[in-house]
């Protein structure tokens, strides 16, 4: 992923202003360490920090049409760029970059070309012929993007908050699936799939249709001119992505350049559930597996850096971002620049454990729609920024537009969790890849219970975070929390601790408004908390908060402690596991 910053309609075209734009653009250099570019036309500035994945030699940005009247700065990947080039036979392209098609599509189709792009992207396009501009963000918000307004009437667009928060009077998250046109002066939605209305679909479940759709989504993401690998937690989603990649890698352009043996990466505390499962999947698939260990203290020491890069104070996002942030640094040190990951499946298929309590298929489907719409504030934000912090690109095939359309058109009755019928969470996905003749995965991995990433890296990670916050946030601070933080008031000491750090980096009111809030249990939306009365008394985003569902739920831990089967420290009646045997980060290839 690259970093983009655009300042549009700025009345100041002085050298001092150009220097300021360059200074702000450098705040995004971690996203694109390979090259920097800045274009100025009258009162508009377009800057770019490049992470070179496709055509590293000649694809530097900004990009142009033939006569340079159309200028584009882009963050993203356009997977169907070769087909789009063929549809533009009269155009001459300057580079082999996949994003080079954008300026030419605009020439042919005006502002209505965005839905033709199959990929993930954030871009700003400047038409110097009339000094108009267009900005757009991909359908789900896999790439991060913000929009702001200056007192001088300028419009600012940046990949991260830190690129514009100090110079804008007001700023906000640029909504996914939207475009902003200077010609109309406002945002409009370009992405309008059938599921967006939350109407209940009725198409019968066909496991082979679902299987082929995911395989296609994975294969198209093998488009790369640099070394790559897969993130492998050992859970269903990442294991399926790894299995499909390993199965189809041979014969691709990527395999010819970098070899047909896939590299996989996993991180966790010593003895964590993910490490064991990932090791087994890697051995089964024959990948070159890299296992990273971190300690609770390693993670705590990184929290401030994580919040600065992820730009949120949301508890579950920070919990999960920290190990991913540490792992991304190690992966990049090995010379890898792109990884394929499994984000999105839980939102599409109702994979979170709280979906066990969905009262009917209508509520189930509507909750999946709400979860997909909010992904840009949670898992997409984490996956994009935790990797981009180290110049690593993450790709997410489950959030492929075509795959989402297939998966969200299935009658949700098939997605409902029915243990009495042997249907656990994400049963339709598991069943689609349950192939007796050519197994994708071992059965017990294919049917492993859902673990949220922040849980799977080791249960003592979350417990350690809570214990650390307990030491730094007093009861008196919590009593005054509503006065100090009237918006999204933190209700736990852990949340208060993260909020203090966030406010230090991003003190503006606009910044705090970019972060979602509301009650949640096991990553649910506030609406789904209503499904079980007991959940309102146990609001925590960990999967273990799904009492009566998770195999290691908090109530079971309390029972184990009562019978003296598990050592722990008790703080405010909550178990805090603090025995950590891994003193430092280590790698085993």
């Amino acid at each position: 992923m690259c970093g983009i910053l655009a300042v549009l309609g700025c009345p100041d075209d002085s050298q001092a202003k150009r220097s300021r734009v360059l200074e702000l653009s450098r705040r995004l250099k971690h996203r694109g360490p390979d090259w920097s570019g800045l274009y100025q036309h009258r009162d508009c500035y377009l800057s770019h920090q490049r992470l070179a994945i496709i055509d590293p030699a000649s694809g530097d940005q900004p990009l142009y049409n033939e006569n340079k009247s159309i200028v584009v700065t882009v963050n993203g990947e356009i997977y169907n760029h070769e087909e789009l080039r063929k549809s533009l036979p009269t155009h001459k392209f300057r580079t082999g970059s996949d994003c080079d098609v954008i300026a030419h599509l605009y020439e042919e189709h005006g502002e209505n070309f965005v839905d033709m792009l199959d990929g993930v992207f954030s871009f700003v396009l400047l038409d110097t012929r009339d000094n108009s501009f267009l900005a757009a963000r991909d359908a789900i918000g896999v790439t991060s993007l913000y929009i702001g307004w200056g007192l001088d009437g300028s419009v600012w667009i940046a990949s991260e908050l830190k690129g514009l928060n100090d110079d804008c009077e007001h700023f906000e998250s640029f909504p996914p699936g939207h475009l902003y046109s200077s010609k109309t002066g406002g945002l409009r939605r370009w992405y309008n799939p059938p599921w967006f209305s939350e109407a209940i679909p009725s198409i019968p479940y066909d496991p082979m249709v679902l299987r082929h759709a995911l395989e296609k989504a994975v294969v198209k993401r093998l488009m790369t001119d640099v070394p790559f690998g897969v993130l492998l937690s050992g859970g269903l989603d990442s294991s399926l992505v790894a299995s499909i990649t390993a199965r189809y890698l041979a014969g691709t352009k990527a395999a010819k350049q970098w070899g047909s043996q896939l590299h996989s990466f996993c991180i966790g505390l010593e003895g964590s559930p993910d490490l064991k499962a990932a090791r087994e999947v890697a051995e089964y698939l024959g990948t070159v597996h890299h296992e990273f260990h971190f300690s609770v203290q390693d993670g705590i020491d990184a929290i401030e850096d994580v919040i600065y890069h992820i730009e949120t104070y949301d508890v579950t996002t920070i919990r999960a971002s920290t190990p991913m942030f540490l792992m991304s640094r190690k992966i990049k040190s090995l010379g890898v620049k792109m990884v394929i990951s499994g984000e999105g499946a839980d939102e599409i298929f109702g994979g979170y454990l709280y979906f066990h309590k969905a009262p009917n298929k209508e509520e189930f489907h509507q909750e999946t729609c709400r979860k997909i719409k909010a992904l840009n504030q949670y898992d997409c934000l984490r996956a994009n920024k935790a990797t981009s912090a180290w110049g690593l690109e993450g790709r997410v095939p489950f959030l492929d537009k075509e795959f989402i359309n297939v998966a969200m058109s299935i009658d949700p009755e098939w997605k409902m969790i029915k243990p009495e019928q042997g249907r656990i969470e994400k049963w339709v996905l598991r069943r689609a890849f349950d192939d007796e003749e050519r197994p994708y995965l071992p059965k017990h991995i294919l049917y492993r219970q859902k673990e949220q990433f922040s849980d799977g890296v080791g249960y003592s990670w979350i417990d350690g975070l809570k214990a650390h916050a307990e030491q730094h946030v007093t009861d008196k601070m919590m009593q005054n929390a509503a006065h100090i933080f009237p918006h999204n008031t933190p209700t736990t000491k852990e949340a208060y601790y993260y909020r203090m750090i966030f406010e230090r980096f991003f003190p503006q009111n606009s910044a705090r408004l970019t972060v979602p809030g509301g009650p949640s249990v096991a990553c649910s939306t506030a609406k789904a908390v209503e499904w079980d009365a007991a959940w309102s008394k146990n609001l925590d985003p960990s999967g273990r908060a799904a009492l009566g569902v998770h195999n290691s739920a908090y109530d079971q831990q309390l029972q184990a402690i009562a019978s003296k089967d598990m050592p722990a420290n008790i703080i405010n009646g909550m178990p805090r596991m603090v025995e950590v045997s891994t003193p430092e980060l280590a790698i085993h290839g």
Side-chain angles (χ1 to χ4, degrees), residues 14 37 65 119 248 292 379 406 446 463 511 563:
S14 67
N65 65 338
Y248 289 97
F292 308 126
D379 283 19
V406 170
L446 191 61
D463 297 327
S563 63

Side-chain angles (χ1 to χ4, degrees), residues 115-311:
D115 198 27
M116 299 170 66
L117 302 174
D118 181 9
V120 297
F121 51 82
S122 296
F123 69 79
V124 178
L125 180 149
L126 175 65
D127 188 340
T128 64
R129 296 171 298 185
D130 58 6
N131 220 40
S132 63
F133 64 88
L134 174 71
R137 189 180 183 189
D138 65 76
I140 305 300
V142 174
T143 61
S144 58
L145 196 65
Y146 297 86
I147 183 170
W149 293 266
L151 282 173
D152 58 5
S154 57
V155 178
W156 295 59
I157 310 285
S159 295
E160 296 185 3
L161 276 180
K162 59 184 70 67
L164 52 70
N165 67 305
D166 287 335
D167 289 64
C168 289
E169 182 68 14
H170 174 75
F171 52 89
E172 57 195 49
S173 178
F174 193 110
H178 281 72
L179 62 83
Y180 180 95
S181 169
S182 65
K183 294 177 180 177
T184 60
L187 289 155
R188 66 177 172 88
R189 170 170 287 282
W190 64 264
Y191 178 57
N192 294 287
W195 63 267
F196 207 84
S197 68
E198 301 184 11
I200 312 304
S202 58
I203 295 178
Y205 166 57
D206 185 329
M208 294 308 296
V209 169
L210 190 63
R211 180 196 292 186
H212 294 325
L214 183 57
E215 288 178 329
K216 183 179 178 182
V218 172
V219 170
K220 73 172 65 167
R221 281 159 179 79
L222 299 181
M223 180 186 80
T224 177
D225 292 329
V226 298
F228 76 102
V230 293
L231 301 186
L232 179 59
S233 70
L236 174 68
D237 310 333
S238 65
S239 297
L240 278 179
V241 168
S243 179
I244 296 168
T245 304
R247 182 168 293 202
Y248 289 97
L249 179 58
T252 64
K253 179 183 175 184
K256 292 176 183 176
Q257 285 183 285
W258 308 108
S260 58
Q261 190 166 24
L262 184 64
H263 286 252
S264 57
F265 307 94
C266 183
I267 192 168
L269 302 177
E270 191 79 55
S272 69
D274 279 1
L275 290 181
K276 179 177 180 294
R279 205 177 299 134
E280 185 177 358
V281 173
E283 185 176 344
Y284 182 82
L285 298 177
T287 68
V288 178
H289 190 56
H290 307 268
E291 181 177 294
F292 308 126
H293 298 166
F294 78 106
S295 71
V296 171
Q297 190 60 55
D298 290 327
I300 289 171
D301 290 343
I303 288 292
E304 292 204 10
D305 284 342
V306 169
I307 292 174
Y308 174 74
H309 280 285
I310 308 302
E311 302 179 326

Side-chain angles (χ1 to χ4, degrees), residues 32 48 76 93 106 124 148 150 173 215 243 270 280 298 311 382 386 388 399 403 423 440 457 493 495 506-507 577:
H48 190 265
F93 297 90
Y106 173 79
V124 178
S173 178
E215 288 178 329
S243 179
E270 191 79 55
E280 185 177 358
D298 290 327
E311 302 179 326
R382 165 181 58 80
S388 293
L399 297 181
F403 177 76
R423 283 163 50 176
Y440 285 78
V457 297
K493 292 186 176 182
F506 308 104
M577 294 183 284

Side-chain angles (χ1 to χ4, degrees), residues 294-544:
F294 78 106
S295 71
V296 171
Q297 190 60 55
D298 290 327
I300 289 171
D301 290 343
I303 288 292
E304 292 204 10
D305 284 342
V306 169
I307 292 174
Y308 174 74
H309 280 285
I310 308 302
E311 302 179 326
T312 188
Y313 51 82
D314 175 69
V315 169
T316 187
T317 303
I318 294 169
R319 288 175 176 180
S321 294
T322 305
M324 194 172 196
F325 176 85
L326 295 172
M327 175 170 58
S328 296
R329 187 177 192 180
K330 280 292 185 180
I331 292 172
K332 186 60 183 291
S333 74
L334 299 176
V336 172
K337 295 179 72 173
M338 185 272 281
V339 289
I340 306 176
S341 188
E343 277 78 15
D346 292 313
E347 287 74 14
I348 294 169
F349 296 104
Y352 292 109
L353 298 182
Y354 73 88
F355 276 94
H356 279 252
K357 299 296 183 73
N360 52 59
K361 74 175 187 178
E362 290 79 13
E363 289 265 10
F364 190 106
H365 179 72
Q366 289 162 1
E367 176 70 359
T368 60
C369 293
R370 289 190 292 266
K371 290 292 291 180
I372 296 172
K373 292 174 184 178
L375 265 170
N376 71 101
Q377 298 175 305
Y378 297 101
D379 283 19
C380 286
L381 183 113
R382 165 181 58 80
N384 180 274
K385 292 182 180 177
T387 52
S388 293
W390 302 107
L392 180 69
E393 176 171 302
R395 296 183 179 176
V396 283
F398 280 108
L399 297 181
D400 181 85
K401 276 198 305 182
E402 293 181 35
F403 177 76
I404 293 176
N405 285 341
V406 170
M408 293 301 288
S409 68
I410 299 171
D411 186 334
E413 182 67 31
W414 289 96
K415 296 181 182 179
M416 290 282 286
I417 299 164
K418 299 182 177 181
E420 70 280 2
Q421 298 180 21
R423 283 163 50 176
I424 64 173
E425 65 274 359
K426 292 185 287 194
W427 177 83
V428 293
L429 181 61
R430 301 175 197 270
R431 180 67 186 86
F433 286 89
D434 193 348
D435 190 324
E436 297 289 347
E437 294 184 5
R438 293 187 64 207
Y440 285 78
L441 295 168
K443 284 274 190 181
H444 63 283
I445 295 292
L446 191 61
Y447 290 94
R448 181 190 179 198
Q449 186 181 57
K450 163 67 184 173
E451 289 280 11
Q452 288 164 211
F453 184 53
S454 53
D455 285 330
V457 297
Y459 296 143
S460 55
W461 166 232
I462 291 176
D463 297 327
L465 285 173
K466 291 181 178 181
H468 179 74
E470 182 75 30
Q471 296 170 358
H472 289 80
V473 179
T474 66
D475 292 341
K476 184 172 288 188
M477 293 163 75
M478 290 302 298
Q479 289 170 8
N480 295 323
H483 301 290
I484 303 298
F485 304 117
H487 176 75
N488 279 349
T489 303
T491 57
T492 67
K493 292 186 176 182
E494 184 186 5
Y496 194 109
Y497 179 67
Y498 300 152
R499 185 65 173 272
M500 288 192 299
I501 298 171
F502 178 88
E503 296 271 346
R504 193 165 75 247
F505 290 130
F506 308 104
Q508 300 87 357
N509 186 54
S510 289
R512 63 183 67 99
L513 293 176
T514 63
V515 182
S520 175
V521 61
C523 288
S524 74
T525 65
K527 177 67 175 175
V529 172
E530 301 171 5
W531 291 350
D532 191 312
W535 286 349
S536 62
K537 302 174 184 178
N538 193 53
L539 295 174
D540 189 287
S542 167
R544 291 178 293 156

